[in-house]
Amino acid sequence: MVPHLITALTGPINELEQRILESMPAVERWFRLEWMEHTPPFYCSVDIRNAGFKLAPVDTNLFPGGWHNLTPDMLPLGVQAAMAAIEKICPEAKNLLVIPENTRNSFYLANIAQLQRIFRGAGLNVRVGSVDPEIKKATAVELPGGETVTLEPVVRSKRRLGLKNFDPCTILLNNDLTAGAPGILEDLHEQYLLPPLHAGWSVRRKSRHFQSYEEVAKRFGKMLGIDSWLVNPLFNRCGELDFAREEGMECLRTNVDALLAKVRKKYKEYGINEKPFVIVKADYGSHGMGIMTVRDVKDLEEIRKLPKNRPPVVKGGKAITDVIIQEGVLTAERINDAVAEPVVYMMDRYVVGGFYRIHAERGVDENLNAPGASYVPLAFAESTRLPQPGQKPGASAPNRFYMYGVIGRLAMLAASYELEATDPEAETYE
Amino acid sequence: MVPHLITALTGPINELEQRILESMPAVERWFRLEWMEHTPPFYCSVDIRNAGFKLAPVDTNLFPGGWHNLTPDMLPLGVQAAMAAIEKICPEAKNLLVIPENTRNSFYLANIAQLQRIFRGAGLNVRVGSVDPEIKKATAVELPGGETVTLEPVVRSKRRLGLKNFDPCTILLNNDLTAGAPGILEDLHEQYLLPPLHAGWSVRRKSRHFQSYEEVAKRFGKMLGIDSWLVNPLFNRCGELDFAREEGMECLRTNVDALLAKVRKKYKEYGINEKPFVIVKADYGSHGMGIMTVRDVKDLEEIRKLPKNRPPVVKGGKAITDVIIQEGVLTAERINDAVAEPVVYMMDRYVVGGFYRIHAERGVDENLNAPGASYVPLAFAESTRLPQPGQKPGASAPNRFYMYGVIGRLAMLAASYELEATDPEAETYE
């Protein structure tokens, strides 16, 4: 099912859909050639927003949670992709250690149970090793469905990380390291640690990601003969922000103003009668804390009204000093009256599924992954891999899902560029 | 659903299922390491028979038809496997040429339409090039479902094969070359021709395949600590057979007798109260022509009653001179009262689906793929990739399907060994 698009101006997105479908052999070939040069991140999920006139990623998560939201139908694709990934990284693998977030939240642990299921299906012994200092012995947590996840304390030797009587070849991080990589994960040169530590939020910057994405989108747009703006959210960044001081705010005001002007110009070019807006958010961190929707530079004054000693924060308790100012992309998709945002899941180079994040109480220009967001996941009804050429643009769910898969892969490719550029161990040839 | 197993002695197969499931990480690792040394055939299908006490492949098809019998649910797996295959062989590919059998049979062409769908899903331009001299211009054939397949005459230049205005990077054979490889397919060194010509039935011998299979089964059995007979059908062969002459028959009688004795001994070892039988069939050719079920060497006298000038034939009109004598594996699976034989489909190294070939009018020891067999395909209800450890052996369909997938992959691996051994262009280091 394609959720009902309420924006009047669905022409551009339907044209884009048609263009992408017509060019499918060129698109797939382009990705194959890119993956010859660049290694995909082990797995990732991408939040996408469809404005009807524009389709763009707004967030790329390299430690995707929410795997439990994928339907059982999609699992075999995940297993097959996991087989391909493992085969490339460590064919002799028998044991895989998953490192989760330090939480016992049962929704999150349902995600871990699903990851276990996927990698067991790929034929690995999978155990969950917690780096939470509070986990001192094997702790079974029962999930609402009756399943159990057992968290075990990790055991570090000089050169390896494992569990008691469990020596893994590969360590899969599902912990986004917002608070920094714990020392226990450092200097593991004998094992594969995936994704690498520099994919954690203590190193990663959203602005760096969207800089890579812009590069990817431009090349993709050129190949396809389209304006890359149709798939690329514009952005600025502002470093060394200090909400308490006038100088720190000036940088924000200037950048917000400049970006709003740029978006306004683009809207004019495409005849879009919507009010442009930008999203100001922390340049790091996986959740939506500290996110502001700004329609006018005057909105920034709201920040001043916050108590001086309580600046907007991000997960992990750090005050925001770096922000990304991102073009706001309306979400024009609806399921009944609720706003819907597609999320695409990938493993290795394959799109293995996705779902809609649906939220009845949020607006079209608000973030749907905000803290406490009680969104309802709605799994994609069909595969992203079976487009139906010849269908009327905008009318075929498989075609829409295929297009989401293309955008998701563009963001994954950008993450690959980003991780190469920020790899502390990269060799430089100068 | 696991079809009802009527054989009383289901113990061994349930033990085998449990053994394979328990050892899944070892099994998958073993396959991964094998695929590092050996290239899987591009695609294949394997006919499997489940006797309740034994589970074995009886035929391995390197030019699988019947892709249309897979459910839409299984298609995304096929597409993903096709992406993996193409990526390895020819990442820069845009165009794929499929060469079908020389027939307009609409069931067969539905298979070709499905292959087109799969490779289009993987992002290729796919066209169908016939080597049938009767196809002199583009010929659209409408299928019962309303779909159309267009057969176009192939165009050969000095070094390449294609269609008018269509130059493929890869040529996919779905024509088993029983009558020999046409000259038009020879000396194509600039394009990938898959599977290679020596996979055709003018070169391939079933006895060669089962010789490789025996090797694979023994190594697999050793790794798993099981008697390889549980997954391996015994066989003998008889070359230069001449049904018209006494000397030619003597070889057949001796080999049938010896194989029946071997199987009898194995049945005794396992306490199986069934009458052993063997299948005598042509050593080449994809269909069941000329197949005989032999329970006693005296049955061979039946052959003498055939008119001397009409020996059993194989497809393509050639008289049988080479036969394989294969241990008969009862099919103990039933759907209602009909005999059911699982068929597993693979692409690249992945099991992408399967179905049951069901035939109400055939016996448990007869071939279900005989000419004119009006079998009913019943797609596997679930993926072969989601086993459920901890289930009672024999009770879980996903576990049974996983086991079928393992046996199918063993046969695919044997085909890989076989093609390496028979490659006319292989370099020998002596």
Side-chain angles (χ1 to χ4, degrees):
Chain A
M1 148 228 57
V2 182
H4 182 55
L5 300 176
I6 54 148
T7 308
L9 197 66
T10 55
I13 215 66
N14 291 348
E15 267 169 43
L16 180 65
E17 182 182 301
Q18 185 154 19
R19 193 88 194 87
I20 286 180
L21 276 179
E22 279 168 6
S23 312
M24 209 180 138
V27 169
E28 295 297 326
R29 178 174 185 268
W30 186 81
F31 277 120
R32 279 196 300 273
L33 297 177
E34 286 288 334
W35 296 133
M36 287 178 79
E37 305 286 327
H38 307 280
T39 305
F42 189 83
Y43 56 5
C44 83
S45 71
V46 176
D47 294 356
I48 292 174
R49 305 203 109 201
N50 183 348
F53 53 85
K54 172 167 191 155
L55 182 71
V58 293
D59 214 349
T60 302
N61 190 343
L62 299 183
F63 303 90
W67 286 94
H68 56 297
N69 294 328
L70 303 187
T71 59
D73 282 357
M74 292 175 183
L75 272 195
L77 280 173
V79 171
Q80 192 170 297
M83 290 171 77
I86 291 296
E87 178 212 321
K88 263 175 273 185
I89 293 159
C90 185
E92 69 277 17
K94 270 189 179 169
N95 297 339
L96 178 79
L97 181 67
V98 178
I99 302 205
E101 296 284 346
N102 296 351
T103 174
R104 296 188 202 185
N105 177 299
S106 64
F107 286 106
Y108 176 74
L109 291 180
N111 158 65
I112 292 295
Q114 182 87 310
L115 280 174
Q116 274 191 301
R117 199 174 294 119
I118 290 172
F119 286 99
R120 283 181 178 154
L124 295 167
N125 297 311
V126 187
R127 284 164 69 176
V128 184
S130 176
V131 295
D132 187 343
E134 286 183 21
I135 300 292
K136 292 188 172 66
K137 59 177 175 39
T139 306
V141 182
E142 196 168 325
L143 305 182
E147 239 179 337
T148 298
V149 170
T150 302
L151 304 171
E152 300 180 67
V154 293
V155 176
R156 172 74 197 237
S157 66
K158 190 164 179 350
R159 308 172 67 88
R160 301 181 73 90
L161 187 73
L163 304 176
K164 198 177 163 192
N165 302 321
F166 187 76
D167 184 35
C169 154
T170 305
I171 300 165
L172 181 64
L173 283 175
N174 196 252
N175 178 317
D176 69 12
L177 309 175
T178 300
I184 204 167
L185 296 179
E186 285 174 354
D187 301 313
L188 293 169
H189 303 299
E190 287 181 1
Q191 291 163 300
Y192 296 92
L193 183 64
L194 299 162
L197 292 181
H198 69 282
W201 278 123
S202 56
V203 178
R204 239 188 124 203
R205 289 294 172 268
K206 291 181 184 175
S207 53
R208 187 68 196 71
H209 176 73
F210 282 99
Q211 183 187 329
S212 293
Y213 185 80
E214 185 172 75
E215 188 186 338
V216 166
K218 279 186 177 161
R219 298 186 48 215
F220 180 76
K222 197 173 170 191
M223 185 264 298
L224 217 58
I226 57 157
D227 179 357
S228 66
W229 178 74
L230 292 174
V231 297
N232 182 32
L234 303 175
F235 76 99
N236 276 331
R237 65 176 290 274
C238 198
E240 301 184 29
L241 186 68
D242 183 346
F243 288 104
R245 295 171 56 234
E246 185 56 33
E247 306 89 282
M249 288 297 289
E250 185 53 36
C251 156
L252 187 59
R253 268 196 298 271
T254 314
N255 277 300
V256 165
D257 217 29
L259 191 61
L260 280 170
K262 255 172 138 176
V263 176
R264 209 170 288 121
K265 203 175 145 205
K266 272 292 180 187
Y267 277 22
K268 204 173 164 192
E269 181 186 335
Y270 281 89
I272 296 161
N273 288 319
E274 301 279 355
K275 190 168 172 55
F277 66 103
V278 299
I279 301 287
V280 179
K281 55 186 173 184
D283 206 8
Y284 44 84
S286 65
H287 289 278
M289 292 201 188
I291 286 195
M292 263 188 94
T293 298
V294 182
R295 291 173 196 80
D296 190 291
V297 83
K298 288 198 297 286
D299 297 347
L300 292 173
E301 295 307 311
E302 292 296 314
I303 291 177
R304 296 191 171 276
K305 294 180 190 155
L306 292 170
K308 283 251 185 322
N309 58 343
R310 288 184 52 203
V313 289
V314 287
K315 202 176 132 199
K318 283 194 203 168
I320 292 179
T321 56
D322 293 28
V323 295
I324 176 170
I325 303 140
Q326 192 176 45
E327 174 187 351
V329 183
L330 289 166
T331 181
E333 288 181 299
R334 291 278 189 291
I335 286 164
N336 299 328
D337 283 334
V339 174
E341 176 183 79
V343 191
V344 170
Y345 277 70
M346 285 157 284
M347 191 171 293
D348 194 69
R349 67 201 63 189
Y350 305 105
V351 178
V352 298
F355 61 88
Y356 282 101
R357 199 179 271 144
I358 298 167
H359 201 305
E361 290 151 32
R362 298 216 162 231
V364 293
D365 57 2
E366 285 183 287
N367 182 283
L368 303 190
N369 195 18
S374 60
Y375 64 80
V376 182
L378 177 73
F380 288 179
E382 308 187 44
S383 168
T384 60
R385 292 297 337 169
L386 295 173
Q388 306 174 307
Q391 296 290 307
K392 191 165 158 279
S396 153
N399 287 349
R400 183 54 49 90
F401 292 145
Y402 174 71
M403 187 162 61
Y404 290 165
V406 169
I407 301 297
R409 284 185 285 168
L410 291 177
M412 174 163 72
L413 182 58
S416 168
Y417 281 38
E418 174 198 350
L419 291 179
E420 282 165 17
T422 56
D423 185 354
E425 287 172 27
E427 291 174 43
T428 47
Y429 304 93
E430 281 180 21
Chain B
M1 148 230 52
V2 181
H4 182 54
L5 300 176
I6 52 148
T7 308
L9 198 69
T10 55
I13 214 69
N14 290 349
E15 269 169 42
L16 180 66
E17 183 182 301
Q18 186 154 18
R19 192 92 196 83
I20 287 179
L21 276 179
E22 279 168 6
S23 312
M24 208 180 138
V27 169
E28 295 296 327
R29 179 174 183 267
W30 186 82
F31 276 119
R32 279 197 300 272
L33 297 177
E34 286 287 334
W35 296 133
M36 287 179 78
E37 305 286 328
H38 307 280
T39 304
F42 190 83
Y43 55 7
C44 83
S45 70
V46 176
D47 294 357
I48 292 175
R49 304 203 110 200
N50 182 348
F53 53 85
K54 173 167 190 158
L55 182 70
V58 293
D59 215 351
T60 303
N61 191 343
L62 299 183
F63 303 90
W67 286 94
H68 55 297
N69 294 328
L70 302 187
T71 58
D73 281 358
M74 293 177 183
L75 272 195
L77 281 173
V79 171
Q80 193 169 297
M83 290 171 78
I86 291 297
E87 178 213 320
K88 264 175 274 184
I89 293 158
C90 185
E92 70 277 17
K94 270 189 181 170
N95 297 339
L96 178 79
L97 182 66
V98 177
I99 303 207
E101 297 284 346
N102 296 350
T103 174
R104 296 189 201 185
N105 176 301
S106 65
F107 286 105
Y108 176 74
L109 291 180
N111 158 65
I112 292 294
Q114 181 86 311
L115 280 174
Q116 275 192 302
R117 199 173 295 120
I118 289 171
F119 287 99
R120 282 179 179 155
L124 295 167
N125 297 311
V126 187
R127 283 165 69 176
V128 184
S130 177
V131 293
D132 187 343
E134 286 183 21
I135 300 292
K136 294 189 169 64
K137 59 178 175 37
T139 306
V141 181
E142 197 169 324
L143 305 182
E147 240 179 337
T148 298
V149 170
T150 302
L151 305 171
E152 299 180 68
V154 293
V155 177
R156 172 75 197 237
S157 67
K158 191 162 176 355
R159 309 172 66 89
R160 299 181 74 89
L161 186 74
L163 303 176
K164 198 177 164 191
N165 301 323
F166 187 76
D167 183 36
C169 153
T170 304
I171 300 164
L172 180 64
L173 282 176
N174 197 252
N175 179 319
D176 69 13
L177 310 174
T178 299
I184 204 167
L185 295 180
E186 286 174 353
D187 301 313
L188 293 169
H189 304 297
E190 287 182 0
Q191 290 163 302
Y192 295 92
L193 182 64
L194 297 163
L197 292 181
H198 69 284
W201 278 123
S202 55
V203 178
R204 239 189 124 202
R205 290 292 172 269
K206 292 180 184 176
S207 53
R208 187 69 196 72
H209 176 71
F210 281 98
Q211 184 188 329
S212 293
Y213 185 80
E214 185 171 72
E215 188 186 339
V216 167
K218 280 185 177 162
R219 298 184 51 214
F220 181 75
K222 198 173 169 189
M223 184 264 298
L224 219 57
I226 57 156
D227 179 357
S228 66
W229 178 73
L230 292 174
V231 298
N232 182 32
L234 304 175
F235 76 97
N236 277 329
R237 65 176 290 273
C238 199
E240 302 185 29
L241 186 68
D242 183 345
F243 287 105
R245 294 171 57 234
E246 185 54 31
E247 305 90 282
M249 287 298 287
E250 186 52 37
C251 156
L252 186 58
R253 266 195 299 268
T254 314
N255 276 302
V256 165
D257 216 28
L259 191 61
L260 280 170
K262 255 173 139 173
V263 176
R264 209 170 289 124
K265 203 176 145 202
K266 272 292 181 188
Y267 276 23
K268 205 174 162 190
E269 182 185 335
Y270 281 89
I272 296 161
N273 287 319
E274 300 280 355
K275 192 168 169 54
F277 65 103
V278 299
I279 301 288
V280 179
K281 55 187 173 183
D283 207 7
Y284 44 84
S286 66
H287 288 279
M289 292 202 190
I291 285 196
M292 262 188 96
T293 299
V294 182
R295 291 172 197 81
D296 189 294
V297 81
K298 286 199 297 285
D299 297 350
L300 292 173
E301 295 308 311
E302 292 297 312
I303 291 177
R304 296 193 172 274
K305 294 180 189 155
L306 293 169
K308 284 249 187 320
N309 58 343
R310 288 184 53 204
V313 288
V314 289
K315 203 175 130 201
K318 282 194 203 166
I320 292 179
T321 57
D322 293 28
V323 294
I324 176 171
I325 303 140
Q326 192 176 44
E327 175 188 350
V329 183
L330 289 165
T331 181
E333 287 182 301
R334 293 278 188 290
I335 285 164
N336 299 329
D337 283 332
V339 175
E341 176 184 81
V343 191
V344 170
Y345 277 69
M346 285 158 282
M347 192 172 291
D348 195 68
R349 67 201 63 190
Y350 305 106
V351 179
V352 297
F355 61 87
Y356 282 100
R357 200 178 271 145
I358 296 166
H359 201 305
E361 289 151 34
R362 297 221 162 227
V364 292
D365 57 2
E366 286 183 288
N367 183 283
L368 304 189
N369 195 16
S374 60
Y375 65 81
V376 182
L378 177 72
F380 288 178
E382 307 186 45
S383 168
T384 61
R385 292 298 335 171
L386 294 174
Q388 306 175 306
Q391 296 289 306
K392 191 165 157 278
S396 152
N399 288 350
R400 184 54 49 90
F401 293 145
Y402 175 71
M403 188 163 60
Y404 291 166
V406 169
I407 302 295
R409 283 184 287 167
L410 291 177
M412 175 162 71
L413 183 58
S416 169
Y417 282 38
E418 173 199 349
L419 291 178
E420 282 165 17
T422 56
D423 186 352
E425 287 172 28
E427 290 175 44
T428 46
Y429 304 94
E430 282 178 23

